[in-house]
Amino acid sequence: MDEIIVAARDNGASADNIAKKYFKARRYAGSGDRRAIRELVYTAIRKFGDRPESGRAAMVGLAHQDKGVADLFDGSNYGPQILADGELCSEDRAIPFWLNAEFASPIDEAEKTALFDRAPLDIRLNPKAGKEEDIINEWPEAERLPLAHAYRLPTGTSVENCRPYNDGLIEIQDLGSQAIVSASLASRPGTVLDLCAGAGGKTLGLAAQLANDTRIIAADTDRGRLSRIEPRMKRADAKNIETILLSPQKEMDSLSHLKNKCDLVLVDAPCSGTGTWRRNPELRWRMTPKRLAQTVELQARLIDLASELVMPGGRLIYAVCSLLDAEGGDQISNFTKGRRDWRDINVDLPIGRPYRKGLLLSPYHDGTDGFYFSCLEKL
């Protein structure tokens, strides 16, 4: 817990990676002990929205609510020191106090509670490589979802070692991300730029459903994340994707040849990740008012950058896996204010709610990760 708290404060390694390293160095710990430690750690991460002062403060917070945990504070050789009166402990508050009022207006208390449910396991069929029968034959229990090629599997299903996955027939992808891809397909573009491609999930989703002669460019400033798209491209047999590694703050140096030439630019911008707390609850410990302000500034710069690359008649799709107004509706309002050469386009999808020139998706309303996205057209 101490290591995870410091990493969250300093923007270091993820909790999952820290846990893996921790147990690798302690192979003497039995499977039962590892399971118990992991459960305690992740219970604390999910329960406490504010970053604890220390690992002990987090565990003391759990002890105040669970006698079984309190009994472990026995001062033995392998146990923590006995609890003291008035000892510092984490406060049982799921959402950081400073962040609670920043959510989009439709996100009420029921919506916020659902942000900590268990996330489902969604997959996307690659229609160029497989058919629905391939999904049903492998997983008869697969649930068809409202979007084309989207399915939900029982939580815990082993996917990455199965034939459909290894043969490039499917990808693991949340329904919300698939919705953003579906919105991007409306114009059937000829040149596509995924400006913040990361590991290429949405890039591959576009390649799977656009014509093979579509030029698709995946760009990012993170070399490690961008490199992960290469094996995924080979597995999906996607031959029309090219990658560009960008330099932070100097992105246009590598993109100037695309100025006013893209039919579609997708900006899946870096954000607070408030819509993904079901999967990554520790993100609450990483975000601060200062970091949020810096992230909002970066998002605005990326929208401006993307707008220069869109050709007249082309489209810009801005998306964040966030449910905060500052990262969603505010960004689009600020961008379109005074710009007569841009208009917002209504996107007709079977999920989501219209909200501030875009669509809002949430775990409670749609069963997806939380997203805001907006489709804009350059006149």
Side-chain angles (χ1 to χ4, degrees), residues 206-221:
L206 290 165
Q209 299 181 70
L210 291 172
N212 289 333
D213 60 353
T214 306
R215 184 187 184 192
I216 302 176
I217 305 158
D220 205 280
T221 58

Side-chain angles (χ1 to χ4, degrees), residues 220-235:
D220 205 280
T221 58
D222 189 322
R223 183 186 298 274
R225 294 187 69 199
L226 192 62
S227 68
R228 287 160 53 191
I229 195 176
E230 297 290 343
R232 300 175 75 184
M233 287 166 49
K234 292 179 181 178
R235 188 164 52 80

